[in-house]
Amino acid sequence: ESNMGEPNKLLYSATEAAFVASVSRPTLYRWMRLEGFPVVKIGNCTRIPVDEFRRWLENQAEVRADA
């Protein structure tokens, strides 16, 4: 069964990840350089794993709340 739609998307592009996180693309690219940010290189493409990205965002919120 081919599921080419959005429901079970595994990877975001930088543009998609920025949209999901409600930040600008430059902010997302800055995050991508941070240690621990989930990023996958596939050939010349850089993608962000959906589940790991959500976890990373949740962890950042916890760090801010604890500060």
Side-chain angles (χ1 to χ4, degrees), residues 1 8 10-11 16 18 20 25-28 37-39 43 50 57 60:
E1 120 193 21
N8 296 316
L10 296 176
L11 301 170
E16 290 170 323
V20 168
R25 280 193 7 217
T27 294
L28 198 283
F37 186 88
V39 68
V50 171
L57 286 173
Q60 301 315 299

Side-chain angles (χ1 to χ4, degrees), residues 12-41:
Y12 287 139
S13 67
T15 301
E16 290 170 323
F19 177 80
V20 168
S22 301
V23 298
S24 67
R25 280 193 7 217
T27 294
L28 198 283
Y29 283 114
R30 200 164 50 248
W31 288 355
M32 288 170 73
R33 292 193 298 271
L34 296 175
E35 187 175 335
F37 186 88
V39 68
V40 174
K41 292 279 283 180

